[in-house]
Amino acid sequence: MRQPRDLVAEARDWFESFAYREVAEPELTTLSGRMIDAIAADAPEIGSDAALRPALRVAVHDGVGAYFSQGPHERPGDIDLPNTAKALGRALARRGYDIALLQRCYRSLQRIGWAEIMTSACREITDPELLPVVLDLQWDHLSRTISRATERAEMAFLDETRRQASSVLTRRRELVEAILREEAVDIERSTRQLGHNLYVQQTGLIIWTLDPTEDDAAAGLERLAIEIATALGAPRPLTLPAGGRMLWVWLATPEVPDLREIARLKVFQHREPVVQLAAGVPATGVEGFRVSHQEALRAYRIAAETAPAPVTLYRDVELISCLAADIAALSRLVRRELGGLAERGAAAARLRNTALVYLEQGSMARAAESLGVHKNTVLYRIQQVEQLLPQPLDEHKMALEVALRVVAALGERVLPE
């Protein structure tokens, strides 16, 4: 009785014979050269980059040699590849290319490799039963080999990209910290290294997320920083992560920007905003870079300790920031100046707000317009305020206004229990 054919074994025998011819020199170098030319045609960026050709040549030559030196295996894990794929991935990352270019390289390699195998198989195999088995086996082997090589190259690419990003971030952080420490720096050189114009107006921002479940919101905060820069007519901002949920930002603008525009952005219009922002006062040059950042940090501290609007401008809380170093002293000032007006609750808060607006506006009519109420309502509230204050409203006006501003900014924490 005739034994059935083992077509898979025959297909592997054919491949061994074919591979023996292709892996020998000069055939291997010739085949690798055709593959490199095909990749260069599909990816002109590589074809025109002389610095990449050596890494590409070695990766293709060694990869093709490894492919032909190993017969088709049943398990993908049996494929053993040289490390030259990693070298190509690292080289592309160092040259600043996108990972998509790396993937195009391997797609081209798979296409030309399959064309070589299919052409040889169809030319040499006349057995109609054996040919489809050979092609099926080789397609599977080639696909898995290319997949493994691409995976290795991609991992090396991403590792190198992360390493470079970490290195760039480290150098940026060191230079920024040197400026903040008031060390002497070369402005022109620092401008180049940071990619940030240190000669013009500098605005320091602190952006942070309020979501306690968000461990690493860096990407979202970066996008918001760019959106803010665009709204204020600034180029891409200089950013520096300050933990997983906070970003330090500097804007460089030829003129003083209108920081009120920030609060009009959609992200800050929600009733419960996901992020908050503190901004320093714009100032010029390296000194402005440092001082505006320091002011943004002070504004952040005020915002973090209170329940403010989503955007806190240092200009609005400057007085409170200067006074807030001694909360106990501020509490005593509030009690002395406000007397019965230093009560907790919504009613007392409404009277304090009316008194503050009245002192700012200087008249009942303007205060009523600012508050959006009738003039008689303001008159009635001011009469109540007069009854609660330990002295007439028109006495110690500066100290009274400071006390009212302190409570408005810092909330009930400065009020007596």
Side-chain angles (χ1 to χ4, degrees), residues 342-364:
E343 295 289 332
R344 296 170 180 262
R350 184 170 56 251
L351 292 178
R352 286 193 298 270
N353 182 54
T354 301
L356 180 57
V357 172
Y358 170 72
L359 291 173
E360 290 174 340
Q361 299 297 327
S363 76
M364 297 284 185

Side-chain angles (χ1 to χ4, degrees), residues 290-352:
R290 179 170 50 249
V291 171
S292 188
H293 173 70
Q294 292 170 346
E295 292 173 346
L297 284 174
R298 293 192 186 104
Y300 160 72
R301 294 187 190 107
I302 295 295
E305 294 178 358
T306 61
V311 176
T312 302
L313 305 183
Y314 181 71
R315 178 71 80 185
D316 295 339
V317 297
E318 184 171 13
L319 175 62
I320 305 304
S321 175
C322 294
L323 295 173
D326 190 339
I327 295 297
L330 278 179
S331 297
R332 291 193 295 272
L333 170 69
V334 166
R335 287 195 298 271
R336 279 196 300 267
E337 296 300 326
L338 299 188
L341 201 57
E343 295 289 332
R344 296 170 180 262
R350 184 170 56 251
L351 292 178
R352 286 193 298 270

Side-chain angles (χ1 to χ4, degrees), residues 24 50 71 74 79 89 127 136 186 217 230 265 320 334 338 342 358 385 389:
E74 294 181 2
I79 302 170
D127 186 333
D136 183 63
D186 184 309
T230 301
L265 294 177
I320 305 304
V334 166
L338 299 188
Y358 170 72
V385 167
L389 289 175

Side-chain angles (χ1 to χ4, degrees), residues 122-414:
C122 291
R123 183 179 62 244
E124 297 178 13
I125 301 173
T126 58
D127 186 333
E129 290 186 75
L130 179 59
L131 181 59
V133 177
V134 167
L135 294 178
D136 183 63
L137 198 65
Q138 291 311 308
W139 176 253
D140 179 66
H141 180 44
L142 178 65
S143 298
R144 287 192 282 110
T145 302
I146 292 294
S147 179
R148 284 287 302 281
T150 305
E151 181 181 320
R152 278 193 171 192
E154 287 176 342
M155 289 178 64
F157 181 98
L158 295 173
D159 286 344
E160 180 63 22
T161 300
R162 283 190 289 266
R163 188 194 67 78
Q164 289 185 332
S166 177
S167 178
V168 169
L169 181 60
T170 298
R171 291 195 298 271
R172 182 195 304 170
R173 186 181 298 279
E174 289 173 350
L175 181 51
V176 166
E177 289 177 350
I179 295 174
L180 297 180
R181 287 194 301 268
E182 300 188 44
E183 295 180 11
V185 296
D186 184 309
I187 300 179
E188 185 174 351
R189 182 180 178 186
S190 299
T191 292
R192 285 198 310 273
Q193 290 178 332
L194 293 174
H196 180 84
N197 189 345
L198 290 170
Y199 290 98
V200 296
Q201 292 288 328
Q202 307 294 312
T203 304
L205 308 176
I206 307 294
I207 311 176
W208 68 100
T209 179
L210 300 175
D211 185 356
T213 64
E214 185 67 78
D215 293 327
D216 187 4
L221 296 179
E222 284 274 359
R223 288 192 295 271
L224 177 56
I226 294 172
E227 182 182 353
I228 292 168
T230 301
L232 297 181
R236 187 181 183 92
L238 173 64
T239 61
L240 198 63
R245 294 191 288 162
M246 178 181 288
L247 190 69
W248 292 356
V249 182
W250 287 266
L251 305 178
T253 53
E255 306 293 338
V256 176
D258 181 3
L259 300 184
R260 302 287 176 187
E261 291 295 325
I262 297 175
R264 299 187 180 98
L265 294 177
K266 185 177 181 180
V267 68
F268 297 115
Q269 294 299 312
H270 301 294
R271 180 171 297 179
E272 296 183 1
V274 178
V275 294
Q276 286 193 328
L277 178 144
V281 179
T284 307
V286 172
E287 179 70 10
F289 182 95
R290 179 170 50 249
V291 171
S292 188
H293 173 70
Q294 292 170 346
E295 292 173 346
L297 284 174
R298 293 192 186 104
Y300 160 72
R301 294 187 190 107
I302 295 295
E305 294 178 358
T306 61
V311 176
T312 302
L313 305 183
Y314 181 71
R315 178 71 80 185
D316 295 339
V317 297
E318 184 171 13
L319 175 62
I320 305 304
S321 175
C322 294
L323 295 173
D326 190 339
I327 295 297
L330 278 179
S331 297
R332 291 193 295 272
L333 170 69
V334 166
R335 287 195 298 271
R336 279 196 300 267
E337 296 300 326
L338 299 188
L341 201 57
E343 295 289 332
R344 296 170 180 262
R350 184 170 56 251
L351 292 178
R352 286 193 298 270
N353 182 54
T354 301
L356 180 57
V357 172
Y358 170 72
L359 291 173
E360 290 174 340
Q361 299 297 327
S363 76
M364 297 284 185
R366 286 196 295 270
E369 183 179 356
S370 178
L371 291 168
V373 298
H374 193 274
K375 180 180 176 181
N376 289 341
T377 301
V378 175
L379 177 61
Y380 174 70
R381 291 179 185 174
I382 292 299
Q383 289 173 345
Q384 291 181 292
V385 167
E386 292 272 15
Q387 294 173 3
L388 294 170
L389 289 175
Q391 70 281 323
L393 183 63
D394 291 332
E395 292 184 14
H396 302 126
K397 290 177 65 174
M398 180 177 293
L400 175 60
E401 185 172 347
V402 168
L404 291 169
R405 289 188 179 279
V406 165
V407 179
L410 300 181
E412 294 188 348
R413 61 195 294 256
V414 293

